[in-house]
Amino acid sequence: MASWGHLQPLSTEFYSLLRYGLFLVLFLHLPFVGFIIGGSTVSLLLNVLGKEKREPAYLRFSRELMETVLAGKSALFMFGLVPLLLVWFVYARILFDPTPLPWHFWSGVLVILFAGFVLLHRYRSAWDRAPVLSPIHIGTGAAGLLAMLLAFFLFSTGYGILFNPEKLPLLQKQIRFLLSWNAIVKFLRFLTFFFGMTGGVILLLGARSAEGKEGPDADSRRMVREFGAILTFLATLALPIFVLFDLVTLPEIALSAELFATSAVVLLLSLAVCLVLSFPSGKGEARLGPRVIALYVLIFFTVLLHDNAAVGNAYGDRIAFLAMQAPAAEAEHAKEAPREGPVAAGQAGAETGKAVFEKICAGCHRLDIRVVGPPLNEVVPKYGGDVEKLKGFIRKPVKVNPDYPSMPQLGLPEEEIDAVARWLVGQRKGGGSS
């Protein structure tokens, strides 16, 4: 079977299974991590405000929120760390090659995330030893929160690669291509969702804590609930903005009518959240939290459907093409007899050129179909068999056709440029296809 990088290409069925497996993992992992980020942020803020305003209710609610956020070590392991290992595996298969996002990257995300969990757990445990936390304990919580944010930002940059396959060959040369505007927008979009969901949980906890209570403590709890409502309202206003920016920053290959439809659904659900917050009916305070949380679950489900469709658009043609090629490649491989004796220099050069093409060029080019760049069977004949001229273009590409994006400078060694140029010219002369 034809290979892409070090891994065998996927069948269409297994590829779809991986996509929906990634959907399920993210549906469990991201809200869990997001609630820890949002809840820890609010807890630290209430802790500082409680000390400044001398409001014991703020301090008690800060502690209650952290006890809810960090439910247990087993939950942190199952929903915080294990899903990242599964995402690591899915990425290696969808991208066909583990090298674009090497194990160093995923190991770094895991280590930083684990450090954030440990520091936040120490911050929470400090409540058991003292009713009022010292600046050191608050600093520990702040360091844990920053570690969580850094880990999630790195995860978001890796997540953005799924939607931009034309960057895969560039990542093998320079890691700076990992960052993109779309990845930053997705980071802000998820962060906005996290704080909106956290506001809904604050409304839920605040309403339960204040049941049957009157007096100053009830007034403080009411202020906490108002804070939760304001947090959710502001996050809900910002969320559609980042959803629209996501559409703007996605590469054209990932767009489809389905993405515009899911974006419209997110806008409608966001409007519903704002209406629920603005016009609570009946026992509004008691039911406000569950309603907001339910709507935010629907929003997150829709956002993941949106991203899942974008990944399918970005890689669908390539998956279908490789699946179509697989039977022919297997038949050709079966016919090959073992060769004895030294391999001729020309044949070795052709094998090198083919290897370079499959590793570097095939991310954007095929010989007979358009992927990101034009079909090479239409381009190579324009050089009239002039290998040196073709090598010059590969060495320092310039934009020729306005219908296609500019080809980046790949920085290949001279021997690889020579090998792939001669292989492309030879494929054209021999009528080969790939």
Side-chain angles (χ1 to χ4, degrees), residues 210-225:
E211 288 179 355
K213 294 182 180 180
E214 298 295 339
D217 187 68
D219 292 338
S220 299
R221 291 288 179 164
R222 192 173 295 109
M223 291 176 63
V224 169
R225 293 197 303 277

Side-chain angles (χ1 to χ4, degrees), residues 1-3 8 325-339 351 354:
M1 182 181 289
S3 65
Q8 297 298 326
Q325 273 204 321
E330 288 181 346
E332 181 181 350
H333 180 72
K335 292 178 181 178
E336 290 182 354
R339 296 191 177 109
E351 291 298 323
K354 182 178 181 182

Side-chain angles (χ1 to χ4, degrees), residues 125-206:
S125 301
W127 287 107
D128 299 331
R129 299 188 294 270
V132 179
L133 299 186
S134 67
I136 294 179
H137 293 140
I138 295 176
T140 300
L145 175 61
L146 289 175
M148 295 287 293
L149 287 170
L150 176 59
F152 183 66
F153 178 77
L154 292 175
F155 175 85
S156 298
T157 58
Y159 186 61
I161 290 299
L162 281 181
F163 307 89
N164 204 349
E166 65 185 46
K167 278 194 169 185
L168 296 183
L170 305 180
L171 276 177
Q172 296 178 349
K173 296 297 179 183
Q174 291 185 344
I175 194 65
R176 67 182 178 88
F177 289 105
L178 183 65
L179 192 61
S180 66
W181 283 113
N182 186 251
I184 294 174
V185 168
K186 281 181 166 54
F187 170 74
L188 295 174
R189 183 192 63 180
F190 282 125
L191 206 60
T192 304
F193 167 80
F194 295 161
F195 284 109
M197 179 182 63
T198 301
V201 175
I202 291 174
L203 288 170
L204 180 64
L205 295 177

Side-chain angles (χ1 to χ4, degrees), residues 37-47 65 195 198 202 227 231:
I37 291 175
S40 302
T41 303
V42 175
S43 174
L44 287 165
L45 180 61
L46 289 176
N47 205 312
L65 191 56
F195 284 109
T198 301
I202 291 174
F227 174 81
L231 179 63

